[in-house]
Amino acid sequence: MSVSVLGVRHHGPGSARSLSRELERLKPDIVLIEGPPEADVLVELAKDPGLEPPVALLAHVPGEPAKAAFWPFAVFSPEWQAIRHAVGAGVPVRFCDLPAVHSLASDPEEPEDPGESGEPGEERRVGAPPDAGAEGARPEGTRPEGTEPGNEDPGNEGLADEGPRAGEGPDAGASAVRTDPIGTLARAAGYDDPERWWEDVVEHRGDTPFQVIAEAMAAVREGHVADAREARREAFMRRTIRRAVKDGFERIAVVCGAWHVPALAGTSAEDAAWGAGLPTVKADDALLRGLPKVKAEMTWVPWTYGRLAAWSGYGAGVTSPGWYHHLFASADRPVERWLTAAAGVLREEDLPVSSAHVIEAVRLTQSLAVLRGRPLAGLAEVTEAVRAVLCEGDDLPVELVQRRMVVGERLGRVPDATPMVPLQRHLREEQRRLKLKPEALDREYDLDLRKPLDLERSRLLHRLRLLGVDWGRPQESRSKGTFRESWTLTWRPEFDIDLIEASAWGTTVPAAAVARVRDLADGGRLSGQAAPQAGAGSSGPASRGGREATPGVSLAGLTGLVERCLLADLPEALPYVLDALSARAALDSDVTHLMAALPAMVRAQRYGDVRGTPATGLATIVDALLSRICVGLGGAVTGLDDDAARDLLRHIDGVHAAVALLDGAADEEAPRARWPATLRAVSGRSDLHGLIEGRLIRILLDAGDLDTASVDSRMSRAMSAGHPPARAAAWIEGFLSGGGLLLVHDARLLSLVDGWLTGLAPETFVDVLPLLRRTFGAFAAPERRSIGSRVRSLASGTVPDAAGVAEFDDGRAAAAVRTVLMILGKTEGA
């Protein structure tokens, strides 16, 4: 009987290649791998060609899916190569790390090893408190996915699993000390960069000396006292090895992080009398007795290289997964092949890169490696050659190579036989049906909602956003029509956690979205990230009976939810939200809340025309909201300070734009007729804030409800000596907030403004100057130039007034008039 403990660097291509050769030599009859034992039943899926790295083992607690952990694997991960060897040779595989049922049950506040770098075989918590989070994002201040306290900076790149600390194990009391094993060995060898030392002595050799690594780790661990968590993990690993020995296996291979080798191998990494010098069975059983335990489930999920890169926020200890993949896949002339591929990336962006560039870049990398005493050029040398030769010193294309090749973003795949919750499986089927392939890189989609396929895609993406799965992010559409949508789709691994969390609402995407909307209308957060209550069941939480909205949901939030229901085509949920909206609107006495809610409701009313979604009942609610706004606007404009006036002005503009979208009607009781009548009545009051009065006058002028003579008279009164200059400046700001072209084309109004300005006392002018600069600074540059030109003409007396404008040539203008009338559909007038 022999036990071979093979210490590796997690995600190390050199370790992976050497491990494959060592396993071929040892021909073990069982392989033990650092990882959660619950994954033993999933190993057989590695035979399926549909399981394509990068992938990760995902463990989660049913009913509490935000508490989960990932164990990622890339094709260049030694653990993945060990799995592939075992399933290919037909020998059993067992994972030997602490089970997920215990690691997920541990107290998240428990002190843990600061050197952990998020490697396979390590617990990595994800998720957030159920009462935190904004839509589409984890709450600020929580740990990023895959990190533990103290692991936000994966400094040692996962070179040898953990850099542990002492003093928190069974003999707690000593102070915690951070140990970086690779840094210690690198300094002993005269290196100031641990990463470079490891690559020079291990990765670039092509043969990992497992016995030498074991001896080096034993020297580094001398005198080390494991903390509680590390001690429990290593105790369970030893228990698993003992079980394999008891089961009669003769050739046992153990694949683990190099740091653990001395704790598992004893006096020798390959010793017939395995166990000499190791803790006893009794001691290990005492460490593992009474561990907290939860029910956990495990599955495979797709992973991305971006989540293996430390800069992406996931501390898996690999800053250059694309480079490592290349080293693993290209054992022959890796530098030359890399630079050739980099030249191809740059050529795709129409950058001139010739074969001569590549040749000179290869020579430069070789020279740099010689100057630095390295056996082979590494990523640092290759990057410098790309910058200096291929990119001619420009850092921007270097960043392109960094993103596409050094990180090498790619998304793994899992087969259909993988255990999934029904919601995950349904989404998978929808992705196939709608031809929306999950990808790690951003993919732009312009959807034409008049096409059935694009309409179905839009509905799916909106439903997922309601469930907190922001696979698609809506973008500003290049088209002004309401029949087009633009999306950016990027699949992230944590969406599988979000889908598991959302599975409490239903087994299909539409059913889950309906249940989620009903909960939101009852007072749930509109973030899309709130976790449902445990035990809610697969069909979604039961409704709470009442239809009244709770105080936690704003009126604007409910109207936004109506809009999202129509975008997602959820007619089953819409009546429930409308009832909640009616109850909220009836109780809300703040007219600004009603004004904030109206635009979304009007937009929602129009979606039924474009998407074919029934919007029954919206017109009644819109009419009720607008009626209450018209009644309450008079009281809302009284006694406002500058900030309140500016806020109300924003609501007035929003309501005015929304009313313009409503269907027109000739009778005075129609919504489009009531709003202008309300504005006319309010504009005549003497107690209005200058900003409000000026804006109302401008709206009525643009709508044709006031003629130029009336506007001249009101502007003259507003700028008369009876009003303070600050109020007059505010009036002008409100009046001109719609744009400055009016002053360009109306010489009378321009003359009034100019006369008022030139008549101000110097000290008064200084006081109102900030307001005037804000007003005129908002105009487009051509408008400001035209106004300046007209003012200079005023000073010279050459600007004609409205009565002195030169006569038009009716004959020359007739053709243009006919064209305009035809565009407006008034062919009879043409």
Side-chain angles (χ1 to χ4, degrees), residues 409-661:
E409 191 68 282
R410 67 179 64 200
L411 179 68
R413 294 187 301 117
V414 298
D416 290 336
T418 305
M420 301 180 188
V421 297
L423 186 61
Q424 286 176 293
R425 199 168 297 281
H426 180 259
L427 176 59
R428 198 177 172 91
E429 295 169 356
E430 289 293 282
Q431 289 168 338
R432 293 196 188 106
R433 182 176 68 87
L434 301 178
K435 301 177 182 178
L436 287 176
K437 181 181 178 182
E439 295 177 287
L441 293 174
D442 289 352
R443 173 65 66 91
E444 304 290 336
Y445 284 90
D446 287 321
L447 303 182
D448 186 343
L449 303 181
R450 297 169 298 184
K451 299 179 179 178
L453 178 62
D454 284 357
L455 181 59
E456 287 295 317
R457 288 173 170 177
S458 172
R459 288 169 175 167
L460 175 65
L461 295 174
H462 281 293
R463 289 167 181 171
L464 290 174
R465 283 177 60 81
L466 279 167
L467 294 174
V469 182
D470 290 334
W471 176 27
R473 304 184 303 278
Q475 306 296 327
E476 186 73 24
S477 178
R478 289 183 287 271
S479 172
K480 296 299 182 182
T482 57
F483 58 87
R484 284 197 178 274
E485 285 183 348
S486 296
W487 293 83
T488 299
L489 271 61
T490 312
W491 185 265
R492 298 197 300 270
E494 57 266 29
F495 289 155
D496 285 291
I497 287 288
D498 295 328
L499 286 169
I500 293 172
E501 182 177 354
S503 65
W505 303 108
T507 57
T508 66
V509 175
V514 168
R516 180 64 176 141
V517 167
R518 288 167 62 95
D519 180 74
L520 292 172
D522 268 344
R525 286 174 297 279
L526 300 180
S527 65
Q529 291 290 337
Q533 296 294 322
S538 61
S539 61
S543 79
R544 288 188 269 272
R547 291 293 181 98
E548 64 277 1
T550 64
V553 186
S554 68
L555 187 61
L558 283 171
T559 56
L561 191 57
V562 170
E563 190 174 6
R564 296 174 69 183
C565 280
L566 292 172
L567 290 169
D569 187 26
L570 301 175
E572 301 91 343
L574 189 59
Y576 197 90
V577 182
L578 291 179
D579 287 354
L581 177 63
S582 299
R584 167 64 67 188
L587 298 175
D588 202 323
S589 59
D590 191 335
V591 70
T592 58
H593 292 171
L594 302 175
M595 297 174 78
L598 183 70
M601 287 297 298
V602 173
R603 289 194 303 269
Q605 186 178 351
R606 291 179 62 86
Y607 290 142
D609 298 332
V610 178
R611 294 173 167 267
T613 307
T616 307
L618 289 180
T620 302
I621 296 178
V622 167
D623 186 65
L625 286 177
L626 185 56
S627 298
R628 295 189 60 194
I629 290 170
C630 292
V631 171
L633 184 60
V637 299
T638 303
L640 300 177
D641 59 15
D642 292 341
D643 292 336
R646 202 167 300 281
D647 184 64
L648 182 62
L649 184 61
R650 178 174 55 85
H651 289 303
I652 290 175
D653 285 339
V655 172
H656 185 68
V659 170
L661 299 177

Side-chain angles (χ1 to χ4, degrees), residues 299-317:
T299 186
W300 288 106
V301 295
W303 204 250
T304 67
Y305 277 176
R307 282 298 185 269
L308 290 174
W311 61 263
S312 72
Y314 178 81

Side-chain angles (χ1 to χ4, degrees), residues 114-125:
E116 290 178 8
S117 48
E119 311 299 344
E122 308 258 349
E123 177 202 354
R124 283 166 296 282
R125 295 286 177 80

Side-chain angles (χ1 to χ4, degrees), residues 814-825:
V817 172
R818 282 195 298 270
T819 301
V820 172
L821 289 174
M822 291 177 67
I823 291 174
L824 296 176

Side-chain angles (χ1 to χ4, degrees), residues 234-254:
E234 292 176 343
F236 196 89
M237 292 181 192
R238 291 189 292 268
R239 173 186 283 182
T240 307
I241 297 173
R242 293 187 183 104
R243 186 179 299 117
V245 172
K246 185 178 179 180
D247 290 343
F249 292 101
E250 294 294 328
R251 299 180 304 280
I252 302 171
V254 183

